[in-house]
CSV table of all heavy atoms in Angstrom, one decimal:
chain,number,residue,atom,x,y,z
K,80,GLN,N,-6.7,4.2,8.1
K,80,GLN,CA,-6.1,5.6,8.2
K,80,GLN,C,-5.9,5.8,9.7
K,80,GLN,O,-6.6,5.1,10.5
K,80,GLN,CB,-6.9,6.6,7.6
K,80,GLN,CG,-7.0,6.6,6.1
K,80,GLN,CD,-7.9,7.7,5.5
K,80,GLN,OE1,-8.9,8.1,6.1
K,80,GLN,NE2,-7.5,8.2,4.4
K,81,PRO,N,-5.0,6.6,10.2
K,81,PRO,CA,-4.9,6.8,11.6
K,81,PRO,C,-6.2,7.3,12.2
K,81,PRO,O,-6.9,8.1,11.6
K,81,PRO,CB,-3.8,7.9,11.7
K,81,PRO,CG,-3.7,8.6,10.3
K,81,PRO,CD,-4.1,7.5,9.4
K,82,ARG,N,-6.5,6.8,13.4
K,82,ARG,CA,-7.7,7.2,14.0
K,82,ARG,C,-7.5,7.4,15.5
K,82,ARG,O,-6.9,6.6,16.2
K,82,ARG,CB,-8.8,6.1,13.8
K,82,ARG,CG,-10.1,6.3,14.5
K,82,ARG,CD,-11.1,5.2,14.4
K,82,ARG,NE,-11.4,4.9,13.0
K,82,ARG,CZ,-12.1,3.8,12.6
K,82,ARG,NH1,-12.6,3.0,13.5
K,82,ARG,NH2,-12.4,3.6,11.3
K,83,VAL,N,-8.1,8.5,16.0
K,83,VAL,CA,-8.1,8.7,17.5
K,83,VAL,C,-9.1,7.8,18.2
K,83,VAL,O,-10.3,7.7,17.7
K,83,VAL,CB,-8.4,10.2,17.8
K,83,VAL,CG1,-8.5,10.4,19.3
K,83,VAL,CG2,-7.4,11.1,17.1
K,84,ILE,N,-8.7,7.1,19.1
K,84,ILE,CA,-9.5,6.1,19.9
K,84,ILE,C,-9.8,6.7,21.3
K,84,ILE,O,-8.9,6.8,22.1
K,84,ILE,CB,-8.8,4.7,20.0
K,84,ILE,CG1,-8.4,4.2,18.7
K,84,ILE,CG2,-9.7,3.7,20.7
K,84,ILE,CD1,-9.4,3.9,17.7
K,85,PRO,N,-11.1,7.0,21.5
K,85,PRO,CA,-11.4,7.5,22.9
K,85,PRO,C,-11.4,6.4,23.9
K,85,PRO,O,-11.7,5.2,23.5
K,85,PRO,CB,-12.8,8.1,22.7
K,85,PRO,CG,-13.4,7.3,21.5
K,85,PRO,CD,-12.3,7.0,20.6
K,86,ASN,N,-11.0,6.7,25.1
K,86,ASN,CA,-11.0,5.7,26.1
K,86,ASN,C,-11.1,6.3,27.5
K,86,ASN,O,-11.0,7.5,27.7
K,86,ASN,CB,-9.8,4.7,26.0
K,86,ASN,CG,-8.5,5.5,26.0
K,86,ASN,OD1,-8.2,6.2,27.0
K,86,ASN,ND2,-7.7,5.4,24.9
K,87,LYS,N,-11.2,5.5,28.5
K,87,LYS,CA,-11.2,5.9,29.9
K,87,LYS,C,-9.8,5.7,30.5
K,87,LYS,O,-9.0,4.9,29.9
K,87,LYS,CB,-12.2,5.1,30.7
K,87,LYS,CG,-13.6,5.0,30.2
K,87,LYS,CD,-14.4,4.0,31.0
K,87,LYS,CE,-15.8,3.9,30.5
K,87,LYS,NZ,-16.6,2.9,31.3
K,88,ARG,N,-9.5,6.5,31.5
K,88,ARG,CA,-8.3,6.2,32.3
K,88,ARG,C,-8.5,4.9,33.1
K,88,ARG,O,-9.3,4.9,34.0
K,88,ARG,CB,-7.9,7.3,33.2
K,88,ARG,CG,-7.4,8.5,32.5
K,88,ARG,CD,-6.8,9.5,33.5
K,88,ARG,NE,-6.3,10.7,32.8
K,88,ARG,CZ,-5.5,11.6,33.3
K,88,ARG,NH1,-5.2,11.5,34.6
K,88,ARG,NH2,-5.1,12.6,32.7
K,89,ASN,N,-7.9,3.9,32.6
K,89,ASN,CA,-8.3,2.6,33.3
K,89,ASN,C,-7.2,1.5,32.9
K,89,ASN,O,-6.2,1.8,32.2
K,89,ASN,CB,-9.6,2.1,32.8
K,89,ASN,CG,-10.4,1.5,34.0
K,89,ASN,OD1,-9.9,0.6,34.7
K,89,ASN,ND2,-11.6,2.0,34.2
K,90,TYR,N,-7.4,0.3,33.4
K,90,TYR,CA,-6.5,-0.8,33.1
K,90,TYR,C,-7.1,-1.5,31.9
K,90,TYR,O,-8.3,-1.8,31.9
K,90,TYR,CB,-6.4,-1.8,34.3
K,90,TYR,CG,-5.7,-3.0,34.0
K,90,TYR,CD1,-4.3,-3.1,34.2
K,90,TYR,CD2,-6.4,-4.2,33.6
K,90,TYR,CE1,-3.6,-4.3,33.9
K,90,TYR,CE2,-5.7,-5.4,33.3
K,90,TYR,CZ,-4.4,-5.4,33.5
K,90,TYR,OH,-3.7,-6.6,33.2
K,91,TYR,N,-6.2,-1.8,30.9
K,91,TYR,CA,-6.7,-2.5,29.7
K,91,TYR,C,-5.9,-3.8,29.5
K,91,TYR,O,-4.7,-3.8,29.8
K,91,TYR,CB,-6.5,-1.6,28.5
K,91,TYR,CG,-7.4,-0.4,28.4
K,91,TYR,CD1,-7.0,0.8,29.1
K,91,TYR,CD2,-8.6,-0.4,27.7
K,91,TYR,CE1,-7.8,1.9,29.1
K,91,TYR,CE2,-9.4,0.7,27.7
K,91,TYR,CZ,-9.1,1.8,28.3
K,91,TYR,OH,-9.9,2.9,28.3
K,92,PHE,N,-6.6,-4.8,29.0
K,92,PHE,CA,-5.9,-6.0,28.6
K,92,PHE,C,-6.3,-6.3,27.2
K,92,PHE,O,-7.5,-6.2,26.8
K,92,PHE,CB,-6.5,-7.2,29.5
K,92,PHE,CG,-6.0,-8.6,29.0
K,92,PHE,CD1,-4.7,-9.0,29.2
K,92,PHE,CD2,-7.0,-9.4,28.4
K,92,PHE,CE1,-4.4,-10.3,28.7
K,92,PHE,CE2,-6.6,-10.7,28.0
K,92,PHE,CZ,-5.3,-11.1,28.1
K,93,GLY,N,-5.3,-6.7,26.4
K,93,GLY,CA,-5.6,-6.9,25.0
K,93,GLY,C,-4.9,-8.0,24.4
K,93,GLY,O,-3.9,-8.6,24.9
K,94,ILE,N,-5.5,-8.5,23.3
K,94,ILE,CA,-4.9,-9.6,22.5
K,94,ILE,C,-4.8,-9.1,21.0
K,94,ILE,O,-5.7,-8.6,20.5
K,94,ILE,CB,-5.8,-10.9,22.4
K,94,ILE,CG1,-6.1,-11.3,23.8
K,94,ILE,CG2,-5.2,-11.9,21.6
K,94,ILE,CD1,-7.5,-10.9,24.4
K,95,ARG,N,-3.6,-9.1,20.5
K,95,ARG,CA,-3.4,-8.7,19.1
K,95,ARG,C,-3.1,-9.9,18.3
K,95,ARG,O,-2.1,-10.7,18.5
K,95,ARG,CB,-2.3,-7.7,18.9
K,95,ARG,CG,-2.1,-7.2,17.5
K,95,ARG,CD,-1.3,-5.9,17.5
K,95,ARG,NE,-2.0,-4.9,18.3
K,95,ARG,CZ,-1.4,-4.0,19.1
K,95,ARG,NH1,-0.1,-3.9,19.1
K,95,ARG,NH2,-2.1,-3.1,19.8
K,96,PHE,N,-3.9,-10.2,17.3
K,96,PHE,CA,-3.7,-11.3,16.4
K,96,PHE,C,-2.7,-11.0,15.4
K,96,PHE,O,-2.4,-9.8,15.1
K,96,PHE,CB,-5.0,-11.8,15.8
K,96,PHE,CG,-6.0,-12.4,16.8
K,96,PHE,CD1,-6.9,-11.6,17.4
K,96,PHE,CD2,-5.9,-13.7,17.0
K,96,PHE,CE1,-7.8,-12.1,18.3
K,96,PHE,CE2,-6.8,-14.3,18.0
K,96,PHE,CZ,-7.7,-13.5,18.6
K,97,LEU,N,-2.1,-12.0,14.8
K,97,LEU,CA,-1.1,-11.8,13.7
K,97,LEU,C,-1.9,-11.1,12.5
K,97,LEU,O,-3.1,-11.4,12.4
K,97,LEU,CB,-0.5,-13.1,13.3
K,97,LEU,CG,0.6,-13.6,14.3
K,97,LEU,CD1,0.9,-15.0,14.0
K,97,LEU,CD2,1.9,-12.7,14.1
K,98,PRO,N,-1.2,-10.4,11.7
K,98,PRO,CA,-1.9,-9.7,10.5
K,98,PRO,C,-2.7,-10.7,9.7
K,98,PRO,O,-2.2,-11.8,9.3
K,98,PRO,CB,-0.7,-9.2,9.8
K,98,PRO,CG,0.4,-8.9,10.8
K,98,PRO,CD,0.3,-10.0,11.8
K,99,GLY,N,-3.9,-10.3,9.5
K,99,GLY,CA,-4.8,-11.2,8.7
K,99,GLY,C,-5.5,-12.2,9.4
K,99,GLY,O,-6.4,-12.9,8.8
K,100,LEU,N,-5.2,-12.5,10.7
K,100,LEU,CA,-5.8,-13.6,11.4
K,100,LEU,C,-6.6,-13.2,12.6
K,100,LEU,O,-6.5,-12.1,13.1
K,100,LEU,CB,-4.6,-14.5,12.0
K,100,LEU,CG,-3.6,-14.9,10.9
K,100,LEU,CD1,-2.5,-15.8,11.5
K,100,LEU,CD2,-4.2,-15.6,9.7
K,101,THR,N,-7.6,-14.0,12.9
K,101,THR,CA,-8.5,-13.8,14.0
K,101,THR,C,-9.0,-15.1,14.5
K,101,THR,O,-8.9,-16.1,13.9
K,101,THR,CB,-9.6,-12.8,13.7
K,101,THR,OG1,-10.3,-12.5,14.9
K,101,THR,CG2,-10.5,-13.4,12.7
K,102,LEU,N,-9.8,-15.1,15.7
K,102,LEU,CA,-10.5,-16.3,16.1
K,102,LEU,C,-11.7,-16.5,15.2
K,102,LEU,O,-12.3,-15.6,14.7
K,102,LEU,CB,-10.8,-16.2,17.6
K,102,LEU,CG,-11.6,-14.9,18.0
K,102,LEU,CD1,-13.0,-15.0,17.7
K,102,LEU,CD2,-11.4,-14.8,19.6
K,103,THR,N,-12.0,-17.8,15.0
K,103,THR,CA,-13.2,-18.1,14.3
K,103,THR,C,-14.5,-17.9,15.1
K,103,THR,O,-14.5,-18.3,16.3
K,103,THR,CB,-13.1,-19.6,13.8
K,103,THR,OG1,-11.9,-19.8,13.1
K,103,THR,CG2,-14.3,-20.0,13.0
K,104,ALA,N,-15.4,-17.2,14.5
K,104,ALA,CA,-16.6,-16.9,15.3
K,104,ALA,C,-17.8,-17.1,14.4
K,104,ALA,O,-17.7,-16.9,13.1
K,104,ALA,CB,-16.6,-15.5,15.8
Side-chain angles (χ1 to χ4, degrees):
Q80 294 179 323
R82 179 185 297 176
V83 175
I84 307 295
N86 57 58
K87 305 174 182 178
R88 289 192 176 192
N89 220 305
Y90 173 89
Y91 291 86
F92 169 74
I94 305 98
R95 183 162 304 142
F96 292 90
L97 285 162
L100 310 181
T101 186
L102 50 79
T103 303

